[in-house]
Amino acid sequence: MKRVILAYSGGLDTTCCTQWLRQRGFEVICFSAHLGSEFSPSELKKRAIMSGASKIYIKDLREEFAHKYILATLKASAVYEGKYVLSTALGRPLIAKYLANIAQQENARYIAHGCTGKGNDQVRFEVSIQILAPKLKIIAPLREWDLACREEEIAYAKKHRLPIKTSMSEIYSIDKNIWGVSIEGGALEDIHKKPPPNSYFFVKSPHVAKNNSAHVELEFQKGIPIKVNGKTMGLVKLIEWLNEQGAQAAVGRTDLIEDRVVGIKSREIYEAPAAWILHTAHKELEHLTLDRETLIFKELVSARYAQLVYQGLWFTELKKSLDAFVNAIQSRVTGKVSLDLYKGNITVVRRSSPNALYKRQLATYGKGSKFDQRLAEGFIQLWGMPYRAQK
Ligand code: ARG
């Protein structure tokens, strides 16, 4: 029997995929990466087997995800189109790496995924597999089958007695991990309307958030968050803890009209409290510790980095080279940042660093200034010279 390794999430699409592949004569081995997802391992196993899989691998990859993937984009300040912290996009290359490993272990020649032909995730999975294991053949049931919409998939699932939940996760398409939740489809497709109250997954609405602010102090060492409120915390725990704090304070919701790789514009809402808190604090520390020219160049790198991750180009030489730049400048990014979280806002209130480039005796308008203001006149003459020449 032909053997296929299916990237399995437990949701409607991949549940239908399992059955569809079975019906086409494949032995289906599922793989689920636990990156902070909805289903427990026992639930996932039950669902995969009920859907026709012969076996399932479930791996808790949160540590690797946090240290190798999340951290890289945090240091790079990579945010796509200003509003998306790339939570889903970051998980794909990691999942692809494990799919390729398991395929080799199981002697399978096929990989399958439950992505549609309109989305980014197909690109991310397949380009990653092309790079890591070019001999594997990819099957994308959603690009081939004749189930035209989610309603038809639900009907197919019911007909074959597949396990589906009739909860909101079937109305919307949701992808969840510790770096954020992505929600699309259903009522969200009407871009003229506010997201319905039930569409956000776990971050509170600012209208019902607490009336007092939460205070968080983050400490970074060379760009890596290591302590929260004075307590040392591992990265996964720290992210999960910040997600809870941020969600209570209504922090981390965004609503984005985004540009997909295939050229479609789509609307997606995101919830990523920890990511926004960490990006805000990290950026603040960079502004305190890095010189102006480095910051200007870093902005270019951040935008490019975000595009690469979004476009499925994680395992590329360019990405590696950008990492080298980002890591080099992180050597100064050590210190503490204090933030207030209040009704959807993240406000930086304090910052400090042994590598601070802020010198009060230069900046001060008060007594004790060490800045020789007479030098400014000559500086401005030279600064303006090229533009006077244009007249
Ligand atoms: N638009 C996001 C991306 O391309 C998320 C895609 C998956 N979203 C979802 N709701 N299943 O990374």
Side-chain angles (χ1 to χ4, degrees):
M1 212 194 259
K2 292 178 292 183
R3 189 174 277 172
V4 61
I5 314 298
L6 169 69
Y8 185 73
S9 70
L12 178 65
D13 290 334
T14 52
T15 295
C16 292
C17 283
T18 311
Q19 177 67 20
W20 188 88
L21 288 161
R22 276 286 315 167
Q23 288 179 329
R24 270 144 198 85
F26 283 95
E27 179 198 351
V28 184
I29 296 179
C30 289
F31 168 64
S32 286
H34 175 27
L35 303 176
S37 45
E38 267 185 278
F39 297 113
S40 66
S42 58
E43 172 102 25
L44 272 173
K45 182 165 183 196
K46 197 176 87 196
R47 295 172 76 85
I49 303 297
M50 274 174 77
S51 314
S54 64
K55 117 173 169 197
I56 180 166
Y57 284 84
I58 303 170
K59 275 200 164 36
D60 184 348
L61 299 179
R62 284 174 300 169
E63 289 293 332
E64 185 173 355
F65 187 48
H67 287 275
K68 297 266 166 59
Y69 292 73
I70 290 174
L71 204 51
T73 53
L74 175 63
K75 291 195 259 183
S77 312
V79 176
Y80 187 67
E81 297 189 330
K83 287 189 184 172
Y84 172 38
V85 296
L86 298 160
S87 44
T88 300
L90 272 178
R92 301 317 187 192
L94 174 60
I95 295 170
K97 187 178 106 178
Y98 278 85
L99 286 170
N101 288 347
I102 294 171
Q104 194 187 26
Q105 199 177 314
E106 289 285 347
N107 236 329
R109 285 193 294 123
Y110 298 87
I111 296 274
H113 60 67
C115 310
T116 89
K118 291 183 168 184
N120 300 314
D121 289 328
Q122 54 173 351
V123 179
R124 297 169 184 149
F125 276 135
E126 294 182 35
V127 171
S128 299
I129 298 283
Q130 280 174 29
I131 296 171
L132 300 173
K135 292 213 176 96
L136 290 172
K137 292 200 184 64
I138 312 265
I139 309 170
L142 273 82
R143 294 199 296 240
E144 288 183 46
W145 68 26
D146 46 14
L147 305 172
C149 58
R150 287 185 85 70
E151 288 75 13
E152 287 187 25
E153 280 184 51
I154 293 173
Y156 174 87
K158 285 194 173 144
K159 185 172 147 206
H160 294 94
R161 299 180 188 287
L162 308 180
I164 55 163
K165 296 194 306 171
T166 43
S167 69
M168 68 177 268
S169 46
E170 309 298 7
I171 303 169
Y172 301 106
S173 165
I174 297 183
D175 181 69
K176 177 176 182 287
N177 64 45
I178 56 169
W179 201 229
V181 182
S182 312
I183 308 150
E184 65 178 341
L188 296 168
E189 287 174 3
D190 186 347
I191 62 164
H192 305 112
K193 296 224 173 90
K194 257 189 176 176
N198 73 348
S199 57
Y200 283 105
F201 195 81
F202 79 112
V203 173
K204 275 197 173 155
S205 155
H207 303 290
V208 299
K210 279 189 277 185
N211 279 329
N212 43 352
S213 61
H215 185 74
V216 178
E217 183 196 74
L218 286 165
E219 185 171 338
F220 290 80
Q221 200 167 45
K222 297 190 195 303
I224 302 171
I226 50 161
K227 281 188 191 174
V228 54
N229 294 342
K231 239 176 68 189
T232 303
M233 230 185 246
L235 193 55
V236 171
K237 181 92 192 302
L238 186 142
I239 291 169
E240 289 176 339
W241 189 82
L242 287 176
N243 271 332
E244 280 167 35
Q245 302 302 306
Q248 292 307 315
V251 156
R253 288 181 171 192
T254 54
D255 178 343
L256 171 65
I257 302 289
E258 74 190 49
D259 287 278
R260 288 193 191 158
V261 186
V262 295
I264 297 173
K265 279 193 192 285
S266 66
R267 192 255 197 119
E268 183 131 11
I269 60 172
Y270 296 101
E271 298 173 287
W276 284 107
I277 294 168
L278 286 165
H279 271 301
T280 305
H282 178 262
K283 210 161 201 181
E284 182 69 15
L285 208 51
E286 285 197 335
H287 273 265
L288 181 61
T289 56
L290 301 180
D291 66 275
R292 176 176 59 191
E293 299 309 314
T294 303
L295 287 171
I296 291 172
F297 192 71
K298 169 86 192 292
E299 292 264 328
L300 304 176
V301 171
S302 300
R304 205 59 200 95
Y305 201 105
Q307 288 154 4
L308 286 183
V309 175
Y310 188 87
Q311 295 167 347
L313 304 178
W314 182 266
F315 294 113
T316 59
E317 291 302 317
L318 177 55
K319 143 82 176 50
K320 237 187 257 170
S321 311
L322 296 184
D323 277 330
F325 166 75
V326 169
N327 284 323
I329 64 172
Q330 295 308 301
S331 61
R332 297 188 60 84
V333 188
T334 293
K336 295 180 190 167
V337 178
S338 292
L339 310 150
D340 277 344
L341 313 180
Y342 181 66
K343 291 189 191 282
N345 290 307
I346 306 169
T347 311
V348 175
V349 290
R350 271 196 302 278
R351 72 289 281 157
S352 64
S353 167
N355 304 325
L357 297 177
Y358 172 84
K359 303 291 175 220
R360 189 165 178 183
Q361 67 274 34
L362 292 180
T364 184
Y365 291 125
K367 274 199 192 123
S369 172
K370 293 261 165 59
F371 185 84
D372 184 351
Q373 299 202 38
R374 288 167 307 177
L375 297 177
E377 193 184 334
F379 165 75
I380 297 164
Q381 281 299 316
L382 293 182
W383 188 245
M385 186 174 64
Y387 314 104
R388 287 198 302 278
Q390 284 173 1
K391 283 199 72 182

